[in-house]
Amino acid sequence: MTEPGETKVSEERTEALLDGAKPRDDAERDLARLMSEVRESAEPAPGELRARVGRIVAGESSVAWYERLWARLASVWRPTPGRLALGVGTLGALALIAVAVPVLMSDGSSEGGDALATVAPEERVQDDALGELSEPPANALAPEPESRERDAGSAVPGGAPPPVDAAAGRSREIVTFTRISVDGVDALSSTTSRAMSIARRLGGFTESSNFSVPNGEVGTSVLVLRVPTARAGRAVEQVTALGTVLSQNADLTDLSRELSRGRTALQRSAAELARLRRAVAADPADAGLARELEAAEDRHRELTRRQREVQRRVSLATINLTLTTEGPVDPPPDGIGGSLSTSGERLASIGVGVVSVVVLLLPFALIAGLIALGGRWVHRRRREGLLSRP
Amino acid sequence: MSTSSEHPSFDAVARTGIDAVYRYLVNLCGSREDAEDLTAQAFEHAQRRWSRFDPERGEPLPWLLAIARRVALDHFRTEGRRRRRERVAAEDPALARQAVPDPAAAESLSPELRSALTRLTRGERELVALRVILELDAAETAALVGSTPGAVSSGLHRALAKLRREVSRDRAW
């Protein structure tokens, strides 16, 4: 506010006077004199201060070491707006990366062709027709250690089926797993019927089947076929020809020794049973003998049951067959075209990943930015407040 | 001050800049004693950060003044606690005898001008110190105080007008 009688000096003229312009009137002369007086009155730093600063420059601090340490810690841990914003942004980014990376990585393509058919066999249906104790093949060899063979069949369509023929003179359990691709839901249905026919024609049967077409376009049919072991090889051959083989393997377990041991145990049990029956017949009043006979009969029944089970395992091979409308995965093209195609796909997936991460990080970046801006505004207002006091 | 882009020695910068920093802080704080302490602190901070100074980005003096300004603002922030301690000290007769008023204004100033300066705000005294005493231009001053050249010119104009007014009033009395 201007006092009465006082002439104002404009802002432009004030700047001009600062730059050394000549005053044009009394007001400007007055101002120039004022500025000159202020300028000339400025004192140099006192000698003691010069010495003090000199010591600082020389490496001797004027502040106690603990004060310096405290100042250092305070400056590190003071939550300035910038540090807060950085902290929020960093934490948010780390959290999102930890979540996003595994999700993005799990979209990696699964390679077809190596999938094994892991159909868990359904509970075996008791087949009393084959439950009779049967003598082993006439040319059975001496018991040999039980062995298990596993043959992973070809995963490429058109590969040869694994050898599953029963070895002469050996009692083997044969279990195969085959996964076949067929062309469409209609073919799925007809192929399922053909597979069942194959089992029937070879003297076997379908132990279980599960047909599923969830949406009319894709479907799966899971079959467990039982065929006589001697015809297992033919069964696998015919089943393989039903479509494009995606995977195939076979488990062969030699049970000759187990069967032999079972026979021996049964023979001993039968002999013991006969002896006890004669003894009981001779002395029917002997309760101890009667109990012994009962226990022997229980043991014999159990041995018989086990032997029948092993017999059944070696009599009928288990053909696990999965028919699916999913096709085999095309192998990557050879040569430069293939490499370019693969590289292009990888770049595209990386690009998608980067864009996804950026989009996910954007809200946190915005929040961090707002915090930083808000903090700077508050900081500025505080500073103006400090400087507005006399 | 060196104008080359080579990194000057801190010793040389301190020798040539100490007067400017002291004068700036005297006007900003309004107390010689505080200005001396703050000048020492400012040079201590500057020495620690000297390796980060880039001569291609500007002169050493504005850089030193920026550090001095931060030190002074930190000092003002803790002023409340300090004033409480001083009040306690003032209530103690033994301590009160030791406290001596220490006007920042130089003895060579006229009483009216000295009095008028104390009635300016810190921000106004700061602009007077930077533009009039240290003769920094509007752009350099604006960069230092975090403002624009236009705002700096307006602020200085208002500060000088106020100063003139206060001086005139004091002379009229």
Side-chain angles (χ1 to χ4, degrees):
Chain A
M1 195 173 75
T2 326
E3 291 287 330
E6 180 188 309
T7 26
K8 282 168 64 174
V9 179
S10 70
E11 189 176 319
E12 291 76 21
R13 285 303 299 167
T14 302
E15 288 291 328
L17 289 171
L18 271 172
D19 290 337
K22 275 187 179 295
R24 282 191 262 176
D25 54 35
D26 287 340
E28 289 186 12
R29 271 190 286 275
D30 195 30
L31 182 59
R33 215 172 16 247
L34 199 68
M35 288 194 290
S36 177
E37 191 178 346
V38 168
R39 197 177 289 128
E40 286 162 11
S41 69
E43 293 177 337
E48 204 175 290
L49 177 60
R50 287 182 184 279
R52 197 168 154 191
V53 170
R55 286 194 296 274
I56 291 169
V57 170
E60 299 170 33
S61 174
S62 65
V63 177
W65 67 268
Y66 50 86
E67 288 179 332
R68 287 205 307 278
L69 181 63
W70 178 248
R72 203 69 181 264
L73 287 171
S75 70
V76 168
W77 293 106
R78 190 169 57 212
T80 62
R83 285 179 189 142
L84 269 175
L86 189 63
V88 167
T90 304
L91 282 173
L94 286 172
L96 280 167
I97 287 169
V99 169
V101 166
V103 170
L104 291 172
M105 292 294 285
S106 68
D107 287 341
S109 61
S110 56
E111 296 187 34
D114 285 340
L116 300 176
T118 54
V119 175
E122 300 287 345
E123 193 171 340
R124 302 281 189 265
V125 174
Q126 291 293 329
D127 188 346
D128 293 330
L130 299 173
E132 298 296 322
L133 280 175
S134 60
E135 291 295 325
N139 54 354
L141 301 175
E144 287 183 6
E146 189 173 305
S147 65
R148 178 181 286 275
E149 300 168 33
R150 188 175 182 89
D151 182 9
S154 168
V156 176
V164 294
D165 292 328
R170 307 301 302 172
S171 298
R172 296 207 291 187
E173 179 185 27
I174 298 173
V175 181
T176 69
F177 300 88
T178 307
R179 187 176 173 88
I180 288 174
S181 170
V182 297
D183 192 14
V185 174
D186 292 337
L188 186 70
S189 175
S190 60
T191 308
T192 300
S193 302
R194 284 164 60 194
M196 291 177 177
S197 300
I198 289 169
R200 273 197 309 274
R201 281 203 305 275
L202 293 173
F205 58 96
T206 301
E207 187 173 90
S208 70
S209 77
N210 186 305
F211 189 89
S212 168
V213 179
N215 61 8
E217 291 179 8
V218 296
T220 310
S221 176
V222 180
L223 300 164
V224 179
L225 309 174
R226 307 296 300 276
V227 297
T229 304
R231 296 173 191 156
R234 277 163 59 188
V236 168
E237 205 176 303
Q238 291 178 28
V239 151
T240 300
L242 289 174
T244 306
V245 175
L246 298 177
S247 68
Q248 194 166 46
N249 35 36
D251 278 341
L252 278 68
T253 310
D254 193 314
L255 297 176
S256 305
R257 191 180 180 193
E258 194 170 337
L259 271 176
S260 173
R261 280 202 299 253
R263 270 196 309 280
T264 306
L266 273 171
Q267 285 165 359
R268 284 203 200 111
S269 174
E272 176 65 11
L273 209 56
R275 184 192 69 77
L276 283 168
R277 280 174 181 156
R278 283 196 297 275
V280 165
D283 187 6
D286 191 340
L289 271 176
R291 279 196 297 275
E292 226 177 297
L293 175 61
E294 196 180 331
E297 284 171 345
D298 287 341
R299 277 196 303 275
H300 192 81
R301 273 194 292 274
E302 179 59 25
L303 287 170
T304 305
R305 188 194 65 74
R306 283 185 204 167
Q307 189 70 355
R308 280 183 179 171
E309 181 59 36
V310 175
Q311 285 273 345
R312 193 164 176 274
R313 284 167 66 186
V314 302
S315 300
L316 291 172
T318 306
I319 312 293
N320 292 285
L321 177 62
T322 301
L323 303 171
T324 177
T325 55
E326 292 174 25
V329 173
D330 293 333
D334 296 332
I336 292 176
S339 303
L340 284 174
S341 169
T342 308
S343 304
E345 286 169 4
R346 283 187 186 151
L347 280 172
S349 64
I350 289 170
V352 166
V354 167
V355 169
S356 304
V357 170
V358 167
V359 167
L360 289 170
L361 286 177
L362 202 57
F364 287 92
L366 283 172
I367 292 170
L370 286 171
I371 291 174
L373 283 172
R376 287 181 78 163
W377 182 81
V378 168
H379 185 66
R380 191 168 185 165
R381 290 301 299 265
R382 278 191 190 153
R383 199 176 54 203
E384 288 168 6
L386 289 170
L387 293 171
S388 64
R389 298 172 199 165
Chain B
M1 298 281 172
S2 167
T3 56
S4 75
S5 62
E6 294 175 0
H7 206 277
S9 73
F10 185 68
D11 184 55
V13 165
R15 280 181 209 283
T16 48
I18 187 170
D19 289 333
V21 172
Y22 175 69
R23 286 165 182 164
Y24 169 68
L25 287 172
V26 160
N27 280 273
L28 187 56
C29 302
S31 160
R32 279 202 193 105
E33 188 180 338
D34 287 347
E36 287 179 22
D37 287 339
L38 294 177
T39 301
Q41 281 183 42
F43 276 97
E44 193 146 346
H45 285 239
Q47 189 188 38
R48 280 202 294 271
R49 293 179 176 82
W50 185 236
S51 59
R52 289 184 235 166
F53 170 69
D54 184 1
E56 289 185 11
R57 294 181 67 180
E59 294 292 320
L61 180 58
W63 183 80
L64 278 175
L65 291 172
I67 292 174
R69 190 170 194 265
R70 275 199 295 275
V71 168
L73 288 174
D74 283 343
H75 172 78
F76 296 150
R77 279 192 203 102
T78 58
E79 202 171 26
R81 291 198 292 274
R82 201 172 54 253
R83 280 193 175 156
R84 280 195 289 277
R85 288 198 299 271
E86 288 167 359
R87 250 200 316 278
V88 168
E91 287 167 9
D92 185 337
L95 291 172
R97 277 197 292 275
Q98 298 172 14
V100 174
D102 180 30
E107 293 298 330
S108 56
L109 278 175
S110 62
E112 297 85 11
L113 185 52
R114 204 183 314 155
S115 171
L117 278 170
T118 60
R119 289 199 284 274
L120 293 183
T121 66
R122 287 169 181 160
E124 290 166 342
R125 287 201 300 271
E126 179 182 36
L127 289 177
V128 169
L130 291 171
R131 296 293 323 272
V132 177
I133 299 176
L134 299 182
E135 296 180 328
L136 297 183
D137 61 29
E140 285 176 324
T141 306
L144 187 60
V145 303
S147 183
T148 60
V152 162
S153 294
S154 303
L156 177 67
H157 178 251
R158 283 196 299 274
L160 289 173
K162 184 176 174 182
L163 196 62
R164 253 185 91 209
R165 212 163 40 246
E166 296 294 328
V167 168
S168 301
R169 194 180 298 153
D170 288 347
R171 280 178 184 157
W173 280 104

